[in-house]
Amino acid sequence: MMANYLRQGAIIFGFTLLGEALNRLIPLPIPAAVYGLVFLFAALCLKIVKLEHVRELSNFLLTILPFLFVAPAVNLLESWNILAPQILPIVLLVVSSTILVFAIAGLVTQALCRKGDSDGSDT
């Protein structure tokens, strides 16, 4: 069991490291984690990495994900005196961007479903 976690961790860490390297080489304002996730997603889609190669550790990381947000939340509370005067614009920005993301995701999903239906595929 521990060997599986180590092997899966090495795979995920490898893509994280690749993301960090690309972040330093490519002068775009894209976080290194995004590069790593895109390459891991591509590797999964192209079957370079099989889902079974990262499933257990990925499920574990998803399970503890809320815990990983505790430290940033505490930092926000410590900075409340800086954030308080700007709370209304921050809330409006977060709410509006969330609604925008939901709307775009819904429209893209509907378009893909219509495309799938018109192709005659059973997926």
Side-chain angles (χ1 to χ4, degrees), residues 99-112:
I99 291 170
L100 183 66
V101 167
F102 281 173
I104 291 171
L107 292 171
V108 169
T109 301
Q110 288 176 346
L112 290 174

Side-chain angles (χ1 to χ4, degrees), residues 15 18-19 22-23 26 28 30-40:
F15 282 98
L18 176 63
L22 285 174
N23 186 285
I26 301 173
L28 293 174
I30 299 173
V34 172
Y35 283 123
L37 285 174
V38 167
F39 278 104
L40 178 57

